[in-house]
mmCIF file of all heavy atoms in Angstrom:
data_model
loop_
_atom_site.group_PDB
_atom_site.id
_atom_site.type_symbol
_atom_site.label_atom_id
_atom_site.label_comp_id
_atom_site.label_asym_id
_atom_site.label_seq_id
_atom_site.Cartn_x
_atom_site.Cartn_y
_atom_site.Cartn_z
ATOM 1 N N ASN A 1 -24.919 119.620 36.634
ATOM 2 C CA ASN A 1 -24.199 118.349 36.777
ATOM 3 C C ASN A 1 -22.715 118.616 36.810
ATOM 4 O O ASN A 1 -22.277 119.774 36.729
ATOM 5 C CB ASN A 1 -24.626 117.351 35.682
ATOM 6 C CG ASN A 1 -24.180 117.755 34.317
ATOM 7 O OD1 ASN A 1 -23.364 118.651 34.106
ATOM 8 N ND2 ASN A 1 -24.751 117.129 33.307
ATOM 9 N N LEU A 2 -21.902 117.588 36.890
ATOM 10 C CA LEU A 2 -20.464 117.781 37.038
ATOM 11 C C LEU A 2 -19.835 118.372 35.789
ATOM 12 O O LEU A 2 -18.760 118.970 35.857
ATOM 13 C CB LEU A 2 -19.790 116.440 37.376
ATOM 14 C CG LEU A 2 -20.177 115.868 38.731
ATOM 15 C CD1 LEU A 2 -19.490 114.550 38.967
ATOM 16 C CD2 LEU A 2 -19.887 116.835 39.857
ATOM 17 N N GLU A 3 -20.489 118.241 34.636
ATOM 18 C CA GLU A 3 -19.977 118.840 33.381
ATOM 19 C C GLU A 3 -20.416 120.292 33.250
ATOM 20 O O GLU A 3 -20.069 120.956 32.282
ATOM 21 C CB GLU A 3 -20.441 118.035 32.177
ATOM 22 C CG GLU A 3 -19.826 116.647 32.075
ATOM 23 C CD GLU A 3 -20.463 115.632 33.014
ATOM 24 O OE1 GLU A 3 -21.691 115.686 33.203
ATOM 25 O OE2 GLU A 3 -19.710 114.831 33.584
ATOM 26 N N GLY A 4 -21.210 120.796 34.178
ATOM 27 C CA GLY A 4 -21.658 122.177 34.143
ATOM 28 C C GLY A 4 -22.984 122.407 33.457
ATOM 29 O O GLY A 4 -23.420 123.555 33.317
ATOM 30 N N LYS A 5 -23.634 121.335 32.990
ATOM 31 C CA LYS A 5 -24.947 121.495 32.332
ATOM 32 C C LYS A 5 -25.972 121.905 33.413
ATOM 33 O O LYS A 5 -26.215 121.187 34.371
ATOM 34 C CB LYS A 5 -25.386 120.210 31.686
ATOM 35 C CG LYS A 5 -26.728 120.329 30.994
ATOM 36 C CD LYS A 5 -27.159 119.021 30.352
ATOM 37 C CE LYS A 5 -28.540 119.203 29.737
ATOM 38 N NZ LYS A 5 -29.108 117.912 29.317
ATOM 39 N N PRO A 6 -26.620 123.081 33.253
ATOM 40 C CA PRO A 6 -27.538 123.560 34.254
ATOM 41 C C PRO A 6 -28.794 122.684 34.385
ATOM 42 O O PRO A 6 -29.301 122.140 33.400
ATOM 43 C CB PRO A 6 -27.929 124.970 33.812
ATOM 44 C CG PRO A 6 -27.241 125.222 32.533
ATOM 45 C CD PRO A 6 -26.461 123.994 32.129
ATOM 46 N N THR A 7 -29.276 122.566 35.577
ATOM 47 C CA THR A 7 -30.541 121.898 35.861
ATOM 48 C C THR A 7 -31.665 122.845 35.544
ATOM 49 O O THR A 7 -31.603 124.026 35.917
ATOM 50 C CB THR A 7 -30.591 121.468 37.329
ATOM 51 O OG1 THR A 7 -29.420 120.699 37.633
ATOM 52 C CG2 THR A 7 -31.836 120.665 37.640
ATOM 53 N N PRO A 8 -32.732 122.420 34.855
ATOM 54 C CA PRO A 8 -33.842 123.317 34.574
ATOM 55 C C PRO A 8 -34.419 123.931 35.852
ATOM 56 O O PRO A 8 -34.673 123.231 36.843
ATOM 57 C CB PRO A 8 -34.873 122.400 33.896
ATOM 58 C CG PRO A 8 -34.072 121.259 33.335
ATOM 59 C CD PRO A 8 -32.941 121.065 34.301
ATOM 60 N N LEU A 9 -34.612 125.232 35.814
ATOM 61 C CA LEU A 9 -35.109 125.982 36.981
ATOM 62 C C LEU A 9 -36.442 125.440 37.509
ATOM 63 O O LEU A 9 -36.632 125.358 38.736
ATOM 64 C CB LEU A 9 -35.210 127.469 36.630
ATOM 65 C CG LEU A 9 -35.280 128.445 37.786
ATOM 66 C CD1 LEU A 9 -34.100 128.296 38.743
ATOM 67 C CD2 LEU A 9 -35.361 129.860 37.267
ATOM 68 N N PRO A 10 -37.399 125.036 36.647
ATOM 69 C CA PRO A 10 -38.651 124.490 37.188
ATOM 70 C C PRO A 10 -38.429 123.233 38.040
ATOM 71 O O PRO A 10 -39.144 123.015 39.022
ATOM 72 C CB PRO A 10 -39.483 124.164 35.939
ATOM 73 C CG PRO A 10 -38.939 125.091 34.896
ATOM 74 C CD PRO A 10 -37.488 125.232 35.188
ATOM 75 N N MET A 11 -37.442 122.401 37.684
ATOM 76 C CA MET A 11 -37.147 121.207 38.468
ATOM 77 C C MET A 11 -36.595 121.588 39.866
ATOM 78 O O MET A 11 -36.972 121.003 40.847
ATOM 79 C CB MET A 11 -36.103 120.339 37.742
ATOM 80 C CG MET A 11 -36.597 119.708 36.474
ATOM 81 S SD MET A 11 -37.735 118.355 36.748
ATOM 82 C CE MET A 11 -36.735 117.179 37.572
ATOM 83 N N ILE A 12 -35.714 122.584 39.877
ATOM 84 C CA ILE A 12 -35.167 123.035 41.156
ATOM 85 C C ILE A 12 -36.265 123.658 42.010
ATOM 86 O O ILE A 12 -36.362 123.390 43.199
ATOM 87 C CB ILE A 12 -34.015 124.046 40.927
ATOM 88 C CG1 ILE A 12 -32.849 123.353 40.178
ATOM 89 C CG2 ILE A 12 -33.557 124.639 42.252
ATOM 90 C CD1 ILE A 12 -31.769 124.306 39.744
ATOM 91 N N ASN A 13 -37.129 124.481 41.396
ATOM 92 C CA ASN A 13 -38.180 125.146 42.141
ATOM 93 C C ASN A 13 -39.243 124.160 42.647
ATOM 94 O O ASN A 13 -39.864 124.408 43.680
ATOM 95 C CB ASN A 13 -38.799 126.273 41.335
ATOM 96 C CG ASN A 13 -37.995 127.544 41.488
ATOM 97 O OD1 ASN A 13 -37.448 127.823 42.562
ATOM 98 N ND2 ASN A 13 -37.907 128.322 40.429
ATOM 99 N N ARG A 14 -39.460 123.084 41.938
ATOM 100 C CA ARG A 14 -40.414 122.057 42.445
ATOM 101 C C ARG A 14 -39.884 121.480 43.747
ATOM 102 O O ARG A 14 -40.614 121.306 44.713
ATOM 103 C CB ARG A 14 -40.631 120.971 41.411
ATOM 104 C CG ARG A 14 -41.577 119.890 41.920
ATOM 105 C CD ARG A 14 -41.971 118.890 40.830
ATOM 106 N NE ARG A 14 -42.953 117.977 41.362
ATOM 107 C CZ ARG A 14 -42.698 116.699 41.612
ATOM 108 N NH1 ARG A 14 -41.520 116.191 41.362
ATOM 109 N NH2 ARG A 14 -43.648 115.927 42.113
ATOM 110 N N TYR A 15 -38.588 121.196 43.762
ATOM 111 C CA TYR A 15 -37.922 120.681 44.970
ATOM 112 C C TYR A 15 -37.962 121.710 46.081
ATOM 113 O O TYR A 15 -38.342 121.413 47.221
ATOM 114 C CB TYR A 15 -36.492 120.307 44.573
ATOM 115 C CG TYR A 15 -35.536 119.963 45.692
ATOM 116 C CD1 TYR A 15 -35.705 118.821 46.479
ATOM 117 C CD2 TYR A 15 -34.423 120.758 45.906
ATOM 118 C CE1 TYR A 15 -34.798 118.497 47.455
ATOM 119 C CE2 TYR A 15 -33.502 120.422 46.863
ATOM 120 C CZ TYR A 15 -33.702 119.312 47.657
ATOM 121 O OH TYR A 15 -32.781 118.972 48.625
ATOM 122 N N LEU A 16 -37.605 122.943 45.757
ATOM 123 C CA LEU A 16 -37.576 124.010 46.774
ATOM 124 C C LEU A 16 -38.966 124.325 47.306
ATOM 125 O O LEU A 16 -39.125 124.661 48.479
ATOM 126 C CB LEU A 16 -36.941 125.260 46.203
ATOM 127 C CG LEU A 16 -35.422 125.216 46.038
ATOM 128 C CD1 LEU A 16 -34.936 126.478 45.325
ATOM 129 C CD2 LEU A 16 -34.719 125.030 47.362
ATOM 130 N N ALA A 17 -39.980 124.232 46.435
ATOM 131 C CA ALA A 17 -41.336 124.536 46.868
ATOM 132 C C ALA A 17 -41.770 123.606 47.981
ATOM 133 O O ALA A 17 -42.540 123.985 48.868
ATOM 134 C CB ALA A 17 -42.301 124.464 45.685
ATOM 135 N N ARG A 18 -41.285 122.360 47.940
ATOM 136 C CA ARG A 18 -41.613 121.389 48.994
ATOM 137 C C ARG A 18 -41.022 121.847 50.336
ATOM 138 O O ARG A 18 -41.467 121.405 51.381
ATOM 139 C CB ARG A 18 -41.055 120.006 48.637
ATOM 140 C CG ARG A 18 -41.367 119.498 47.244
ATOM 141 C CD ARG A 18 -42.821 119.113 47.041
ATOM 142 N NE ARG A 18 -43.311 118.013 47.829
ATOM 143 C CZ ARG A 18 -43.307 116.740 47.479
ATOM 144 N NH1 ARG A 18 -42.800 116.392 46.326
ATOM 145 N NH2 ARG A 18 -43.823 115.832 48.261
ATOM 146 N N LEU A 19 -40.007 122.681 50.270
ATOM 147 C CA LEU A 19 -39.357 123.207 51.476
ATOM 148 C C LEU A 19 -39.829 124.620 51.828
ATOM 149 O O LEU A 19 -39.320 125.235 52.718
ATOM 150 C CB LEU A 19 -37.835 123.210 51.266
ATOM 151 C CG LEU A 19 -37.211 121.868 50.898
ATOM 152 C CD1 LEU A 19 -35.754 122.056 50.543
ATOM 153 C CD2 LEU A 19 -37.368 120.866 52.020
ATOM 154 N N GLY A 20 -40.780 125.119 51.034
ATOM 155 C CA GLY A 20 -41.302 126.472 51.259
ATOM 156 C C GLY A 20 -40.419 127.566 50.678
ATOM 157 O O GLY A 20 -40.475 128.703 51.130
ATOM 158 N N LEU A 21 -39.602 127.228 49.683
ATOM 159 C CA LEU A 21 -38.658 128.196 49.110
ATOM 160 C C LEU A 21 -38.837 128.269 47.593
ATOM 161 O O LEU A 21 -39.557 127.458 46.987
ATOM 162 C CB LEU A 21 -37.230 127.745 49.411
ATOM 163 C CG LEU A 21 -36.871 127.603 50.881
ATOM 164 C CD1 LEU A 21 -35.519 126.926 51.048
ATOM 165 C CD2 LEU A 21 -36.882 128.958 51.587
ATOM 166 N N GLN A 22 -38.135 129.215 47.003
ATOM 167 C CA GLN A 22 -38.140 129.387 45.548
ATOM 168 C C GLN A 22 -36.864 130.122 45.157
ATOM 169 O O GLN A 22 -36.327 130.898 45.916
ATOM 170 C CB GLN A 22 -39.342 130.226 45.108
ATOM 171 C CG GLN A 22 -39.385 130.454 43.608
ATOM 172 C CD GLN A 22 -40.506 131.395 43.206
ATOM 173 O OE1 GLN A 22 -41.119 132.062 44.027
ATOM 174 N NE2 GLN A 22 -40.775 131.438 41.928
ATOM 175 N N THR A 23 -36.346 129.818 43.957
ATOM 176 C CA THR A 23 -35.199 130.554 43.428
ATOM 177 C C THR A 23 -35.524 131.149 42.089
ATOM 178 O O THR A 23 -36.387 130.619 41.368
ATOM 179 C CB THR A 23 -33.944 129.639 43.319
ATOM 180 O OG1 THR A 23 -32.853 130.422 42.878
ATOM 181 C CG2 THR A 23 -34.193 128.505 42.332
ATOM 182 N N GLN A 24 -34.859 132.238 41.768
ATOM 183 C CA GLN A 24 -35.031 132.840 40.454
ATOM 184 C C GLN A 24 -33.825 132.517 39.571
ATOM 185 O O GLN A 24 -33.753 132.952 38.433
ATOM 186 C CB GLN A 24 -35.221 134.334 40.591
ATOM 187 C CG GLN A 24 -36.488 134.679 41.307
ATOM 188 C CD GLN A 24 -36.614 136.179 41.564
ATOM 189 O OE1 GLN A 24 -35.677 136.970 41.372
ATOM 190 N NE2 GLN A 24 -37.798 136.598 41.991
ATOM 191 N N GLY A 25 -32.869 131.778 40.145
ATOM 192 C CA GLY A 25 -31.709 131.373 39.371
ATOM 193 C C GLY A 25 -30.687 132.448 39.152
ATOM 194 O O GLY A 25 -29.812 132.312 38.327
ATOM 195 N N SER A 26 -30.742 133.547 39.883
ATOM 196 C CA SER A 26 -29.794 134.636 39.698
ATOM 197 C C SER A 26 -28.941 134.800 40.970
ATOM 198 O O SER A 26 -29.058 135.773 41.673
ATOM 199 C CB SER A 26 -30.506 135.936 39.338
ATOM 200 O OG SER A 26 -31.459 136.235 40.357
ATOM 201 N N TRP A 27 -28.121 133.821 41.225
ATOM 202 C CA TRP A 27 -27.272 133.827 42.417
ATOM 203 C C TRP A 27 -26.073 134.733 42.220
ATOM 204 O O TRP A 27 -25.425 134.698 41.175
ATOM 205 C CB TRP A 27 -26.816 132.384 42.700
ATOM 206 C CG TRP A 27 -25.823 132.315 43.809
ATOM 207 C CD1 TRP A 27 -24.503 132.053 43.657
ATOM 208 C CD2 TRP A 27 -26.068 132.429 45.184
ATOM 209 N NE1 TRP A 27 -23.890 132.017 44.886
ATOM 210 C CE2 TRP A 27 -24.827 132.241 45.856
ATOM 211 C CE3 TRP A 27 -27.200 132.669 45.961
ATOM 212 C CZ2 TRP A 27 -24.707 132.309 47.243
ATOM 213 C CZ3 TRP A 27 -27.062 132.736 47.333
ATOM 214 C CH2 TRP A 27 -25.846 132.545 47.948
ATOM 215 N N LYS A 28 -25.752 135.518 43.224
ATOM 216 C CA LYS A 28 -24.571 136.391 43.180
ATOM 217 C C LYS A 28 -23.566 135.809 44.156
ATOM 218 O O LYS A 28 -23.779 135.806 45.362
ATOM 219 C CB LYS A 28 -24.903 137.823 43.604
ATOM 220 C CG LYS A 28 -25.767 138.551 42.626
ATOM 221 C CD LYS A 28 -24.895 139.137 41.567
ATOM 222 C CE LYS A 28 -25.696 140.113 40.717
ATOM 223 N NZ LYS A 28 -24.998 140.498 39.554
ATOM 224 N N GLN A 29 -22.443 135.322 43.640
ATOM 225 C CA GLN A 29 -21.395 134.795 44.507
ATOM 226 C C GLN A 29 -20.678 135.913 45.272
ATOM 227 O O GLN A 29 -20.410 135.807 46.443
ATOM 228 C CB GLN A 29 -20.387 133.995 43.685
ATOM 229 C CG GLN A 29 -19.345 133.264 44.515
ATOM 230 C CD GLN A 29 -19.935 132.143 45.351
ATOM 231 O OE1 GLN A 29 -20.913 131.537 44.966
ATOM 232 N NE2 GLN A 29 -19.359 131.867 46.488
ATOM 233 N N ILE A 30 -20.390 137.012 44.563
ATOM 234 C CA ILE A 30 -19.734 138.141 45.194
ATOM 235 C C ILE A 30 -20.733 139.272 45.246
ATOM 236 O O ILE A 30 -21.293 139.686 44.243
ATOM 237 C CB ILE A 30 -18.498 138.563 44.374
ATOM 238 C CG1 ILE A 30 -17.511 137.390 44.299
ATOM 239 C CG2 ILE A 30 -17.840 139.797 44.975
ATOM 240 C CD1 ILE A 30 -16.351 137.601 43.394
ATOM 241 N N THR A 31 -20.982 139.795 46.443
ATOM 242 C CA THR A 31 -22.068 140.759 46.604
ATOM 243 C C THR A 31 -21.598 142.201 46.793
ATOM 244 O O THR A 31 -22.409 143.060 47.076
ATOM 245 C CB THR A 31 -22.910 140.373 47.818
ATOM 246 O OG1 THR A 31 -22.083 140.329 48.979
ATOM 247 C CG2 THR A 31 -23.571 139.017 47.611
ATOM 248 N N TYR A 32 -20.329 142.498 46.610
ATOM 249 C CA TYR A 32 -19.878 143.862 46.828
ATOM 250 C C TYR A 32 -20.454 144.854 45.838
ATOM 251 O O TYR A 32 -20.508 146.052 46.083
ATOM 252 C CB TYR A 32 -18.355 143.959 46.845
ATOM 253 C CG TYR A 32 -17.690 143.595 45.526
ATOM 254 C CD1 TYR A 32 -17.556 144.534 44.522
ATOM 255 C CD2 TYR A 32 -17.180 142.328 45.331
ATOM 256 C CE1 TYR A 32 -16.963 144.187 43.325
ATOM 257 C CE2 TYR A 32 -16.603 141.968 44.142
ATOM 258 C CZ TYR A 32 -16.477 142.913 43.147
ATOM 259 O OH TYR A 32 -15.897 142.585 41.971
ATOM 260 N N ASP A 33 -20.920 144.393 44.677
ATOM 261 C CA ASP A 33 -21.463 145.300 43.663
ATOM 262 C C ASP A 33 -23.007 145.255 43.602
ATOM 263 O O ASP A 33 -23.597 145.793 42.690
ATOM 264 C CB ASP A 33 -20.865 145.004 42.299
ATOM 265 C CG ASP A 33 -21.219 143.608 41.789
ATOM 266 O OD1 ASP A 33 -21.660 142.784 42.605
ATOM 267 O OD2 ASP A 33 -21.030 143.351 40.605
ATOM 268 N N VAL A 34 -23.629 144.678 44.585
ATOM 269 C CA VAL A 34 -25.077 144.610 44.616
ATOM 270 C C VAL A 34 -25.641 145.918 45.168
ATOM 271 O O VAL A 34 -25.126 146.461 46.143
ATOM 272 C CB VAL A 34 -25.559 143.404 45.475
ATOM 273 C CG1 VAL A 34 -27.050 143.416 45.662
ATOM 274 C CG2 VAL A 34 -25.099 142.104 44.863
ATOM 275 N N LYS A 35 -26.703 146.415 44.539
ATOM 276 C CA LYS A 35 -27.331 147.647 45.016
ATOM 277 C C LYS A 35 -28.689 147.325 45.590
ATOM 278 O O LYS A 35 -29.441 146.513 45.035
ATOM 279 C CB LYS A 35 -27.488 148.625 43.864
ATOM 280 C CG LYS A 35 -26.181 149.136 43.326
ATOM 281 C CD LYS A 35 -26.407 150.120 42.194
ATOM 282 C CE LYS A 35 -25.062 150.584 41.673
ATOM 283 N NZ LYS A 35 -25.181 151.530 40.604
ATOM 284 N N LEU A 36 -29.034 147.927 46.687
ATOM 285 C CA LEU A 36 -30.324 147.753 47.331
ATOM 286 C C LEU A 36 -31.350 148.528 46.551
ATOM 287 O O LEU A 36 -31.223 149.725 46.338
ATOM 288 C CB LEU A 36 -30.243 148.255 48.792
ATOM 289 C CG LEU A 36 -31.508 148.123 49.604
ATOM 290 C CD1 LEU A 36 -31.810 146.645 49.834
ATOM 291 C CD2 LEU A 36 -31.349 148.809 50.935
ATOM 292 N N THR A 37 -32.390 147.867 46.072
ATOM 293 C CA THR A 37 -33.456 148.526 45.305
ATOM 294 C C THR A 37 -34.750 148.624 46.055
ATOM 295 O O THR A 37 -35.609 149.413 45.735
ATOM 296 C CB THR A 37 -33.704 147.779 43.961
ATOM 297 O OG1 THR A 37 -34.112 146.452 44.262
ATOM 298 C CG2 THR A 37 -32.443 147.782 43.106
ATOM 299 N N HIS A 38 -34.927 147.782 47.072
ATOM 300 C CA HIS A 38 -36.157 147.792 47.861
ATOM 301 C C HIS A 38 -35.853 147.237 49.247
ATOM 302 O O HIS A 38 -35.065 146.321 49.379
ATOM 303 C CB HIS A 38 -37.235 146.911 47.186
ATOM 304 C CG HIS A 38 -38.471 146.774 48.022
ATOM 305 N ND1 HIS A 38 -39.398 147.779 48.112
ATOM 306 C CD2 HIS A 38 -38.921 145.782 48.785
ATOM 307 C CE1 HIS A 38 -40.372 147.368 48.930
ATOM 308 N NE2 HIS A 38 -40.100 146.145 49.350
ATOM 309 N N LYS A 39 -36.460 147.807 50.250
ATOM 310 C CA LYS A 39 -36.300 147.247 51.591
ATOM 311 C C LYS A 39 -37.641 147.286 52.303
ATOM 312 O O LYS A 39 -38.441 148.195 52.167
ATOM 313 C CB LYS A 39 -35.237 147.981 52.371
ATOM 314 C CG LYS A 39 -35.499 149.452 52.617
ATOM 315 C CD LYS A 39 -34.353 150.080 53.361
ATOM 316 C CE LYS A 39 -34.589 151.567 53.541
ATOM 317 N NZ LYS A 39 -33.513 152.212 54.262
ATOM 318 N N ASN A 40 -37.883 146.244 53.060
ATOM 319 C CA ASN A 40 -39.079 146.094 53.846
ATOM 320 C C ASN A 40 -38.696 146.458 55.286
ATOM 321 O O ASN A 40 -37.941 145.731 55.941
ATOM 322 C CB ASN A 40 -39.619 144.663 53.765
ATOM 323 C CG ASN A 40 -40.911 144.469 54.539
ATOM 324 O OD1 ASN A 40 -41.192 145.210 55.479
ATOM 325 N ND2 ASN A 40 -41.647 143.469 54.153
ATOM 326 N N ALA A 41 -39.189 147.550 55.798
ATOM 327 C CA ALA A 41 -38.793 148.042 57.111
ATOM 328 C C ALA A 41 -39.072 147.054 58.248
ATOM 329 O O ALA A 41 -38.430 147.111 59.298
ATOM 330 C CB ALA A 41 -39.488 149.373 57.395
#
């Protein structure tokens, strides 16, 4: 919300599931320090 109180992840995933998506809640705004751990060729 506007005060920064996080929305429960199950509520967000219920909404996203209707769109065929899912989140784990671990968003990275800056990706320069992300390491690739698995890739699907």
Side-chain angles (χ1 to χ4, degrees):
N1 67 14
L2 296 179
E3 291 78 39
K5 181 181 177 190
T7 305
L9 198 56
M11 293 286 296
I12 296 172
N13 275 325
R14 179 171 184 251
Y15 170 66
L16 287 174
R18 310 289 296 269
L19 304 171
L21 301 170
Q22 179 186 13
T23 183
Q24 295 175 349
S26 56
W27 173 254
K28 291 276 190 190
Q29 186 68 30
I30 300 172
T31 59
Y32 64 84
D33 63 345
V34 173
K35 293 181 181 180
L36 182 66
T37 60
H38 174 76
K39 62 182 176 180
N40 182 336

